[in-house]
């Protein structure tokens, strides 16, 4: 711990503590995880910008079917590259302490593949395809599933989920809060 | 930047009005205006703006007013914050700053931006706090520092945190919830153990042999007899042999030397410890009160644990969002291992496909012929009948075995007549029977349930319920059998010990304790055995052997429900036994501790994640409910023992009392008379009735409150749907007017066209207001006009002043507070402009 302690000044740490859902100790831990992704460049510059491939070395992201979306959403430049602050931001959102509305906000962005601010049938199809991985549902099943989801969540019958609808349905999906997190 | 539906409708109305009165206007201009308008719709807002939707209109109005009153130029950061819907207008004290800080924390924007906001805010804070007194501020800061410190400590002290993380990465959140539950039970048992140790065992062991004076308090109370205690105590003898084999045997079954240790009830004495620091320590009272405190403590912690998860799911009783739950909560973001991820994909696929197939078959089942239905119901009836028979049979078996064993052991020469192993086996026979039944019968349940043709989810549930029933029923039978032996009526008068047909138990409490002791020991050994003797060989078989049949066997699955029921069972034994054997909680604690590592081993190396996606949220409640039921079942015999049964005269802390509760009376009789009167009032029947009435009133109040809230939820949901419909209606009107084809973007809609035109936004409208503001102007190709320019692009040369003014006010930033509730929100678009005065328009874009 002593090594990484000196990386940040006390002021920086307390700033981070104020702005994320982490304690100082946890922030240092996050930094350690960030460091393991690319020890050399982080050693040189703690605010090094790591590209998408490097970030995806994080085991949780590596196997995550939405990993490209996650890196895009959390990258402040929007290109999938992440600095430590972006990384910290991401871990903070995925932490246990982050409130549900923050998580829902980012989940919506992650699932909105074409970034048109609604989760359309196309987005849903993509989500489901990524969820099932190698074995894909056939067209008929897919259509049935999408219709089921829209029936449940699409309150205004416009065949897509707006943020409000998404938020509403997530509040009724008890598993979301349990699954949308990465333990430090 | 929020428009309610009535606002939108109103704007639209103005707009239509205007278009209709200017038929000669260019069509393109109208379209562009529509596009600009569409961009204002709530669902077209960029996400970060949608945060602001949460802020109340009242707050917005306050901001608007503030802007009007203090038009002084502001920091760009502050303005940005306001745009995010955070009220930064009146930051008077620490609390406000803190609130804004929290809001900043929740903003979905990069950390750098947040830091900028915060720096600005801190500057402001310094300015304002200089004039204020610092006292309460520092207090609050200290409090916040303390809270952070607490959080930090709890992070540091979280036991097994990294272990849990490993499991989570390997097996997913479902299995971790089992480990969290196990950890929680471990701590519960630890606390129970420490309480017992601190208030019963240590005082007795430390002071009893140290020249304590023999005192019996409250000698005037009825139901006490010191004489019989003096005759009977010497009669309670335990044969302690020093033979090594017997020593181990005694250790396993809690007899012999074990019986004389602090583990069991019979070890403790009824005398008050007079040399205790406080002067006077009544052991019987301490024993009784500690037991009650432990039960109460368990209840409260359980209630808290349950309520946490229960509250979240309470409104979700109708299973209406299962598909969304599966899809949006499906992936476990904590997974970190390739193999597990593959399994997770597969399990998600199976779950989704299975559910869809189920849905398709559901219709078919509805239309089942009456013949088939009849057959199905007959099968179900028979199977349920069979299950009841099996349960009854198991109960009888336990009863019979316990009875037989007791009569076998009643023979004074049984040890000399039989081999030591046989004796050990016989001693353990009831526990063995129960454990074996717990192992075998659920398997039978699992097989027969398949014939019943239930839905997959219900299949799991009903099998679990039957298993729980078996576990609790077998314990209940054991208790009943023990009760029959204990309360056998043919007893000698002096020491109240059974004679003739009744078993002569000199210390029946210890006997009860021994039974539970044996059950816990055996339960623990079986768990160790299953992990090391079944899962491990299977793992070795799968990895080392290449034959097809070995591969087919594969790894065992981490069966969460079964595992949870196992630890619930251990906990039940602990609650049942702790009164008769005060140190059983220690045993349970050790058992849970070892089990954690054992299960960690099997979760990490020996088993695969469960194939059926485990709904942590739902099942947690179920398990807690089972734990609660078990707890109340445990309270019954313990409470009955305290109040209704005569304690042994020859052993234990209550040997001089005719009932255990008499010791409380004895203590109270030593109190000053005024205190006695008060206690008398509080324990009298009338007071308890008043208390009950009060409690039921509170329950009535809260239940009617929750009923009202449920209604509110329904209403709000309906309103949400209506607003969505409103929006759609308005959009349709726009499309009608502009002639643009609705839903051009949709390719995959298979719904019948009767649903009305889709309102998939025309590509041009996707451009958000945010961008509009940023760019100042928008590229010509998508024909979207910046909002602020609308009046210029659409020249007004019509003399109809009221319309124009209203439109202008509507689209410019001139804002006057207005109560939108007064604007009729119905879908009646025939309302003319004159019904709403131009000055009434207010929104802040």
């Amino acid at each position: 711990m002593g090594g990484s302690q000196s990386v940040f000044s006390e002021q920086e740490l307390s700033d981070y503590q104020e702005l994320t859902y982490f304690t100082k100790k946890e922030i240092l831990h996050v930094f350690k995880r960030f460091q393991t992704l690319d020890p050399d460049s982080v050693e040189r510059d703690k605010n090094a910008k790591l590209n998408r491939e490097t970030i995806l070395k994080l085991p949780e992201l590596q196997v995550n079917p939405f990993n490209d979306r996650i890196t895009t959403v959390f990258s402040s430049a929007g290109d999938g590259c992440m600095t430590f602050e972006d990384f910290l931001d991401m871990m903070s959102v995925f932490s246990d302490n982050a409130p549900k509305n923050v998580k829902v906000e980012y989940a919506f962005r992650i699932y909105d593949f074409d970034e048109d601010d609604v989760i359309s049938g196309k987005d849903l199809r993509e989500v489901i395809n990524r969820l099932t991985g190698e074995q894909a549902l056939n067209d008929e099943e897919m259509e049935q599933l999408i219709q089921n989801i829209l029936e449940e969540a699409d309150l205004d019958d416009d065949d897509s989920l707006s943020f409000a609808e998404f938020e509403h349905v997530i509040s009724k999906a008890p598993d979301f809060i349990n699954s949308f997190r990465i333990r430090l | 930047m929020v428009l309610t539906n009535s606002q939108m409708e109103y704007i639209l109305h103005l707009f239509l009005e205007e278009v209709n009165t200017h038929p000669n206007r260019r069509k393109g201009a109208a379209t562009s205006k529509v596009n600009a308008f569409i961009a204002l719709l709530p669902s077209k807002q960029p996400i970060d703006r949608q945060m602001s939707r949460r802020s109340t209109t009242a707050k917005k109005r306050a901001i608007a007013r503030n802007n009007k009153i203090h038009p002084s130029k502001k920091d760009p950061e502050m303005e940005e914050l306001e745009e995010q819907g955070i009220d930064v207008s009146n930051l008077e004290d620490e609390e406000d700053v803190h609130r804004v800080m929290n809001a900043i924390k929740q903003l979905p924007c990069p950390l750098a931006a947040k830091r900028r906001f915060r720096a600005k805010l801190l500057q402001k804070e310094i300015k304002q706090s200089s004039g204020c007194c610092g006292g309460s501020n520092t207090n609050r800061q200290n409090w916040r520092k303390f809270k952070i410190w607490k959080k930090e400590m709890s992070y540091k002290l979280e036991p097994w945190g990294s272990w849990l993380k490993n499991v989570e990465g390997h097996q997913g959140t479902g299995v971790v919830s089992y480990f969290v539950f196990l950890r929680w039970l471990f701590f519960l048992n630890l606390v129970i153990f420490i309480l017992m140790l601190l208030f019963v065992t240590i005082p007795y062991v430390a002071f009893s042999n140290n020249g304590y004076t023999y005192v019996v308090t409250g000698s005037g109370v009825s139901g006490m007899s010191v004489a019989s205690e003096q005759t009977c105590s010497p009669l309670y003898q335990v044969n302690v042999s020093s033979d090594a084999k017997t020593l181990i045997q005694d250790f396993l079954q809690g007899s012999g030397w074990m019986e004389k240790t602090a583990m069991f009830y019979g070890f403790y004495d009824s005398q008050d410890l007079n040399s205790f620091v406080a002067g006077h320590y009544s052991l019987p009272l301490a024993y009784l009160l500690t037991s009650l405190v432990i039960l109460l403590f368990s209840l409260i912690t359980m209630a808290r644990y349950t309520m946490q998860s229960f509250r979240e799911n309470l409104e979700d009783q109708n299973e209406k969002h299962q598909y969304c739950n599966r899809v949006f909560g499906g992936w476990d973001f904590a997974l970190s291992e390739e193999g597990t991820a593959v399994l997770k994909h597969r399990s998600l696929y199976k779950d989704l496909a299975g559910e869809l197939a189920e849905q398709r078959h559901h219709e078919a089942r509805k239309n089942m012929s009456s013949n088939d239905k009849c057959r199905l119901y007959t099968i179900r009836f028979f199977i349920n009948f069979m299950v009841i028979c099996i349960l009854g049979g198991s109960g009888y078996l336990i009863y019979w075995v316990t009875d037989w064993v007791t009569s076998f052991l009643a023979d004074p020469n049984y040890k000399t007549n039989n081999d030591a192993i046989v004796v050990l086996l016989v001693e353990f026979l009831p526990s063995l029977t129960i454990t074996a039944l717990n192992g075998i019968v659920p398997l039978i349940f699992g097989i027969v349930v398949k014939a019943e043709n239930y839905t997959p989810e219900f299949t799991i549930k009903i099998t679990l319920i039957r298993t729980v029933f078996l576990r609790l029923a077998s314990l209940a039978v054991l208790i009943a059998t023990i009760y029959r032996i204990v309360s056998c009526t043919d007893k000698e008068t002096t020491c109240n010990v059974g004679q003739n047909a009744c078993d002569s138990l000199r210390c029946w409490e210890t006997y009860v304790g021994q039974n539970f002791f044996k059950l816990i020991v055996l339960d623990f050994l079986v768990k160790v055995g299953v992990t090391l003797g079944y899962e491990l060989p299977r793992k070795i078989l799968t990895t080392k052997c290449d034959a097809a049949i070995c591969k087919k066997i594969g790894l065992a699955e981490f069966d969460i429900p079964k595992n949870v029921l196992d630890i619930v069972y251990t906990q039940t034994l602990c609650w049942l036994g702790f009164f008769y054997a005060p140190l059983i909680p220690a045993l349970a604690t050790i058992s849970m501790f070892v089990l954690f590592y054992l299960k960690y081993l099997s979760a990490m190396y020996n088993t695969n994640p469960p194939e059926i996606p485990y709904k942590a949220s739902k099942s947690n409640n179920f398990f807690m409910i089972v734990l609660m039921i078990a707890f109340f079942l445990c309270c019954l015999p313990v409470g009955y023992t305290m109040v209704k049964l005569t304690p042994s005269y020859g052993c234990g802390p209550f040997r001089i009392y005719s009932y255990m509760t008499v010791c409380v009376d004895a203590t109270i009789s030593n109190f000053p008379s005024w205190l006695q009167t008060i206690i008398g009032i509080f324990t009298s029947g009338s007071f308890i009735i008043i208390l009950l009435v009060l409690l039921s009133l509170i329950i009535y109040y809260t239940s009617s409150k929750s009923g009202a809230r449920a209604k509110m939820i329904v209403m709000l949901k309906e309103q949400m749907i209506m607003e969505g419909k409103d929006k759609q209606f308005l959009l349709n009107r726009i499309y009608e007017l502009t002639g643009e084809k609705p839903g051009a973007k949709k390719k995959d809609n298979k719904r019948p066209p009767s649903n009305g035109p889709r309102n998939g936004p025309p590509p041009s409208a996707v451009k958000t207001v945010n961008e509009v503001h940023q760019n100042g102007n928008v590229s010509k190709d998508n024909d979207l006009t910046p909002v602020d320019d609308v009046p210029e692009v659409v020249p007004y040369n019509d003399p109809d002043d009221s319309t124009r003014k209203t439109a202008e006010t509507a689209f410019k930033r001139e804002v006057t507070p207005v109560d939108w509730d007064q604007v009729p929100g119905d879908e009646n678009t025939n309302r003319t402009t004159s019904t709403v005065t131009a000055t009434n328009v207010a929104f802040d874009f």
Side-chain angles (χ1 to χ4, degrees):
Chain A
M1 267 306 150
S4 50
Q5 193 97 45
S6 54
V7 175
F8 299 105
S9 68
E10 190 60 26
Q11 180 59 38
E12 275 178 311
L13 272 182
S14 58
D15 273 4
Y16 286 148
Q17 182 169 284
E18 282 286 330
L19 294 172
T20 61
Y21 296 99
F22 287 130
T23 63
K24 288 177 186 167
K25 191 119 191 161
E26 289 168 312
I27 290 164
L28 290 175
H29 195 94
V30 172
F31 182 72
K32 254 171 128 190
R33 292 206 73 181
F34 185 67
Q35 208 168 15
T36 49
L37 296 176
D38 188 356
D40 292 339
S41 30
V42 177
E43 190 73 35
R44 254 178 279 128
D45 172 18
K46 68 177 195 286
N47 288 323
K49 207 168 177 182
L50 304 186
N51 61 15
R52 192 193 297 257
E53 285 69 40
T54 323
I55 292 292
L56 291 187
K57 274 199 252 166
L58 190 79
E60 280 88 353
L61 289 187
Q62 205 165 24
V63 299
N64 195 307
F66 307 105
N67 50 18
D68 58 325
R69 289 296 306 157
I70 296 175
T71 46
T72 311
V73 164
F74 283 99
S75 153
S76 51
D79 54 359
C81 301
M82 281 170 120
T83 61
F84 171 64
E85 292 194 350
D86 294 338
F87 188 77
L88 185 64
D89 227 11
M90 177 180 84
M91 293 308 267
S92 165
V93 169
F94 281 117
S95 74
D96 279 338
N97 294 323
K100 201 168 186 171
N101 57 356
V102 175
K103 284 176 186 266
V104 171
E105 188 81 44
Y106 280 99
F108 184 80
R109 287 188 184 190
I110 289 170
Y111 293 141
D112 180 16
F113 286 88
D114 48 11
E115 301 191 351
D116 61 354
D117 291 331
V118 286
I119 295 183
S120 58
K122 223 173 83 196
D123 293 325
L124 281 176
R125 185 180 297 266
E126 184 69 30
V127 171
I128 295 161
N129 269 333
R130 288 183 181 214
L131 276 180
T132 53
E134 286 168 15
Q135 48 291 79
L137 295 172
N138 61 34
D139 283 349
E140 192 193 335
E141 287 173 323
M142 181 65 86
E143 204 52 48
Q144 191 189 354
L145 183 54
I146 290 175
Q147 283 310 320
N148 283 335
I149 291 170
L150 288 178
E151 233 157 74
E152 282 174 2
D154 182 19
L155 298 176
D156 58 4
D157 288 330
D158 65 351
D159 278 359
S160 54
L161 306 185
S162 67
F163 178 72
E165 286 163 347
F166 183 75
E167 195 182 25
H168 176 248
V169 81
I170 282 294
S171 73
K172 302 273 181 173
D175 284 340
F176 170 76
I177 198 84
N178 286 325
S179 60
F180 199 76
R181 62 187 178 140
I182 295 176
R183 215 179 267 266
L184 208 54
Chain B
M1 198 42 71
V2 172
L3 299 176
T4 67
N5 279 296
S6 41
Q7 283 173 321
M8 283 198 302
E9 192 185 322
Y10 179 57
I11 303 165
L12 185 73
H13 182 68
L14 296 176
F15 173 69
L16 294 178
E17 194 88 347
E18 190 183 307
V19 173
N20 290 337
T21 45
H22 304 279
N24 54 344
R25 192 169 298 146
R26 282 180 301 130
K27 187 85 185 232
T31 317
S32 67
K33 197 171 174 187
V34 168
N35 284 339
F37 176 69
I38 287 171
L40 292 176
L41 289 176
S43 63
K44 305 296 178 288
Q45 305 295 306
I47 292 174
D48 48 352
R49 273 160 190 274
Q50 287 181 355
M51 293 289 286
S52 64
R53 229 179 289 161
R54 281 179 213 113
S55 60
T56 59
T57 40
K59 202 187 265 177
K60 293 216 142 286
R61 259 179 261 137
I63 296 173
R65 217 176 300 131
N66 238 306
N67 285 349
K68 264 211 124 159
I69 297 167
H70 316 283
S72 63
K73 72 173 163 64
K74 287 191 164 187
D75 306 317
E77 276 84 7
M78 286 299 156
E79 270 181 13
E80 230 172 297
L81 270 184
E82 273 183 15
E83 273 172 28
Q84 307 276 14
I86 298 171
D87 179 11
V88 286
S89 50
N90 41 358
L91 295 170
E92 261 127 43
D93 54 9
E94 173 90 357
E95 195 130 341
D96 277 340
V97 175
H98 191 55
R99 174 178 54 74
V100 175
M101 217 65 120
N102 258 334
I104 291 177
K105 217 187 212 183
Q106 297 194 359
L107 280 184
C109 58
L111 205 63
K114 284 186 201 167
R115 197 165 38 201
R116 205 154 40 88
F117 292 146
R118 179 164 173 268
K120 248 322 163 307
L121 202 65
L122 285 180
Q123 268 179 18
K124 240 183 135 108
E125 185 192 6
I126 291 162
K127 252 185 259 161
Q128 267 153 356
S129 64
S130 58
C132 184
C133 46
S136 64
N137 272 1
T138 41
N139 263 349
R140 234 178 249 144
Q141 263 164 10
N142 283 344
W143 174 241
R144 257 170 63 202
K145 264 186 202 152
F146 173 72
K147 274 207 292 206
I148 290 170
W149 177 82
K150 220 175 75 183
K151 213 175 116 192
E152 196 123 342
M153 282 312 279
S154 67
Y155 171 69
K156 220 183 272 181
L157 291 178
E158 190 194 357
W160 295 315
S162 58
W163 296 68
L164 289 183
K165 178 174 164 45
N166 288 346
V167 172
E168 195 164 43
H170 198 87
Q171 297 258 358
T173 32
V175 174
V176 162
S177 74
Y178 162 79
F179 279 91
V180 172
F181 187 59
L182 180 58
R183 187 177 67 178
W184 179 76
L185 277 181
F186 166 76
F187 282 112
L188 178 70
N189 280 320
L190 194 67
V191 172
I192 294 178
F193 164 60
I194 289 172
L195 280 175
M196 262 307 188
L197 195 72
L198 227 57
F199 292 104
V200 175
T201 311
I202 289 182
Y204 182 68
V205 173
F207 299 105
S208 63
N209 300 326
N210 264 330
Y212 70 103
T213 35
Y214 180 85
V215 173
V216 175
T217 34
S219 39
V221 178
S222 64
M224 279 176 61
S225 108
V226 182
S228 65
E229 185 261 331
Q230 275 158 351
T231 12
C232 298
S233 289
L235 288 175
Y236 174 51
Q237 295 280 334
V238 179
N239 300 323
V240 182
S241 86
S242 53
D243 176 21
K245 205 166 74 180
T246 333
L247 282 181
I248 296 170
Q249 197 178 329
D250 283 344
F251 172 71
L252 287 179
Q253 55 197 34
S255 58
W257 64 273
M258 260 313 256
E259 198 170 335
K260 275 297 196 185
T261 59
M263 174 64 87
F264 291 107
Y265 172 93
F267 170 76
Y268 299 89
D269 212 334
S270 64
Q271 285 114 15
D272 293 3
L273 309 170
N274 232 7
S275 65
F276 195 63
V277 200
H280 195 75
Y281 192 81
S282 167
L283 193 73
L285 192 67
Y287 198 102
L288 198 71
L289 289 184
T290 311
S291 305
L292 288 176
V293 165
I294 284 171
L295 290 180
L296 208 66
F297 174 78
S298 307
L299 182 67
I300 291 170
T301 40
M302 249 186 322
R304 281 193 54 189
Y305 189 94
T306 322
M307 279 311 130
Q308 276 170 6
S309 58
F310 211 57
R311 217 177 286 141
E312 280 170 20
N313 300 334
L314 209 55
E315 60 201 74
D316 186 43
Q317 271 152 356
N318 45 352
E319 288 239 350
K320 274 188 184 154
H321 294 87
Q322 44 161 337
Y323 290 103
C324 286
N325 196 15
R326 279 191 169 90
V327 170
F328 295 128
W331 187 261
D332 207 333
F333 282 66
L335 287 186
S336 63
E337 241 155 89
E338 195 70 53
T340 320
V342 171
L343 285 174
K344 182 80 190 171
H345 279 304
R346 200 177 299 158
S347 111
L348 277 171
Y349 169 75
K350 269 192 188 161
D351 184 42
L352 286 173
E355 193 58 40
L356 291 171
E358 181 61 35
Q359 194 195 14
R360 276 198 296 268
H361 286 305
H362 198 68
E363 293 300 313
R365 200 176 297 168
K366 260 188 199 159
N367 309 330
M368 212 159 42
S369 69
S370 53
N371 217 350
D372 287 339
K373 251 185 204 164
C374 194
R375 205 175 61 204
L376 185 66
Y377 286 130
T378 322
I379 289 174
R380 282 187 189 175
F381 175 77
F382 270 112
I383 286 176
N384 275 314
F385 184 71
M386 202 172 101
V387 166
I388 291 171
C389 284
I390 291 174
L391 286 175
S394 315
Y396 183 73
L397 191 68
I398 296 164
Y399 168 81
W400 183 79
V401 166
T402 315
D403 207 43
W404 180 79
V405 168
T406 317
S407 62
F408 176 85
L409 298 183
D411 179 8
N413 299 323
Y414 76 94
K415 270 196 179 167
T416 45
N417 291 348
N418 293 289
D419 196 40
I421 295 294
V422 176
V423 172
L424 187 68
L425 270 182
V426 170
E427 286 265 9
F428 267 99
L429 207 55
S431 322
L432 270 176
T433 318
I434 291 177
T435 315
L437 284 174
N438 281 341
I440 296 163
V441 176
L443 294 180
I444 302 174
F445 287 164
I447 294 166
V448 295
V449 82
K450 279 177 192 155
E452 286 178 287
N453 204 6
Y454 289 123
T455 58
E457 211 162 308
F458 192 69
T459 307
I460 300 175
K461 254 186 209 155
I462 190 130
T463 320
L464 268 177
I465 289 170
R466 284 170 183 167
T467 314
V468 169
F469 205 73
L470 172 79
R471 298 230 158 182
L472 295 183
S474 56
L475 278 182
V477 170
L478 182 73
I479 292 166
T481 320
I482 292 172
Y483 174 73
R484 204 185 60 93
I485 293 163
V486 166
S487 65
C488 190
T489 42
D490 189 6
K491 286 183 175 170
E492 53 154 319
T493 44
T494 45
C495 285
N496 202 24
V497 171
Q499 58 185 1
N500 302 331
C502 290
D503 302 304
S504 63
L505 296 167
R506 290 249 163 236
C507 191
W508 64 265
E509 292 92 344
T510 296
Y511 168 76
V512 179
Q514 279 170 334
N515 268 301
F516 292 119
F517 178 84
K518 277 186 273 189
L519 271 176
I520 283 205
V521 168
L522 195 73
D523 181 58
F524 175 67
L525 291 179
V526 166
K527 275 176 196 154
V528 176
V530 167
T531 309
L532 298 181
Y534 170 69
E535 287 170 359
L536 193 63
R538 210 165 143 175
K539 159 90 176 170
I540 293 168
L541 201 70
T542 325
T543 45
K544 294 275 176 305
C545 151
D546 280 332
I549 191 161
C550 298
K551 288 280 171 253
K552 207 170 179 200
I553 291 172
L555 290 181
E557 221 175 71
F558 198 96
D559 188 351
I560 301 168
K562 190 188 157 295
N563 276 308
V564 173
L565 280 186
D566 273 346
I567 50 175
V568 168
Y569 177 71
T570 314
Q571 189 54 42
T572 315
L573 289 179
C574 173
W575 275 325
L576 273 174
F578 85 93
F579 188 75
Y580 311 98
L583 293 189
I584 267 191
L587 220 62
T589 311
I590 296 168
S591 164
M592 301 275 179
F593 185 78
V594 176
L595 201 66
F596 189 94
Y597 289 100
L598 271 178
K599 286 294 162 191
Y600 179 76
L601 210 73
S602 79
M604 287 303 286
Y605 305 107
N606 293 344
T607 53
N608 278 336
E611 201 142 90
I612 310 156
Y614 171 75
K615 297 219 183 69
S617 47
K618 282 253 158 54
S619 309
N620 267 353
N621 282 345
F622 179 73
F623 292 131
M624 281 314 279
I625 289 166
V626 173
L627 195 66
M628 285 267 196
I629 294 171
F631 174 76
F632 285 115
L633 284 184
C634 294
C635 283
L636 280 180
V638 173
Y640 190 80
T641 310
M642 284 176 185
V643 181
K644 281 282 176 209
L645 285 180
T646 312
S648 303
Y649 289 169
C651 70
F654 301 101
R655 62 183 90 176
I656 55 170
Y657 304 110
S658 53
Y659 295 108
M660 291 179 182
T661 41
V662 173
C663 77
V664 179
D665 300 340
T667 315
I668 290 173
S669 72
N670 279 4
F671 287 165
S673 61
W674 60 271
L675 199 59
Q676 281 186 39
T677 326
I678 291 175
I679 292 172
I681 291 170
F682 278 116
T683 48
S684 67
S686 50
F687 181 78
I688 287 171
I689 287 175
I690 292 172
L691 209 68
L692 278 179
V693 169
L694 212 72
L695 274 179
S696 27
L697 275 179
I698 292 172
I699 290 172
Y700 176 74
Y701 171 70
T702 43
S703 78
S704 54
K705 218 162 87 174
S706 78
R709 287 203 177 132
K711 258 186 209 158
M712 193 69 183
I713 289 172
V714 173
M715 259 173 59
L716 285 173
K717 194 173 170 188
E718 268 168 16
Q719 195 182 340
M720 197 165 158
I721 294 171
M722 284 318 291
E723 296 211 343
K725 292 256 163 77
D726 282 358
K727 187 181 91 182
Q728 216 180 356
F729 172 78
L730 291 167
L731 282 165
N732 287 344
R733 288 300 297 257
I734 292 179
Y735 289 131
E736 266 170 38
L737 191 85
T738 56
E740 208 172 320
K741 276 221 170 82
K745 196 177 151 246
K746 299 276 167 200
K747 278 155 264 164
D748 51 346
N749 58 59
K750 287 199 176 168
R751 286 190 182 183
S754 67
N755 266 7
R758 312 287 180 295
N759 62 352
S764 56
V766 175
K767 209 76 175 172
T768 59
V769 175
N770 205 9
E771 288 164 82
V772 173
H773 277 312
Q774 278 164 7
N775 302 347
N777 215 327
V778 180
S779 51
K780 297 275 181 287
D781 61 294
N782 61 6
D783 212 10
L784 177 64
T785 316
V787 182
D788 293 348
D789 297 342
V790 167
E792 287 144 41
V793 173
V794 186
Y796 293 92
N797 35 23
D798 192 83
D800 191 351
D801 259 12
S802 82
T803 316
R804 201 194 73 217
K805 258 187 197 156
T806 326
E808 248 171 327
T809 355
F811 285 99
K812 275 192 173 171
R813 203 187 261 265
E814 288 305 316
V815 172
T816 322
V818 67
D819 194 1
W820 275 101
D821 297 343
Q822 289 174 1
V823 181
D826 59 356
E827 294 184 9
N828 176 17
T829 46
N830 292 331
R831 187 175 2 108
T832 56
T833 337
S834 55
T835 54
V836 185
T837 52
T839 44
N840 260 4
V841 188
F843 40 78
D844 44 332
F845 57 91

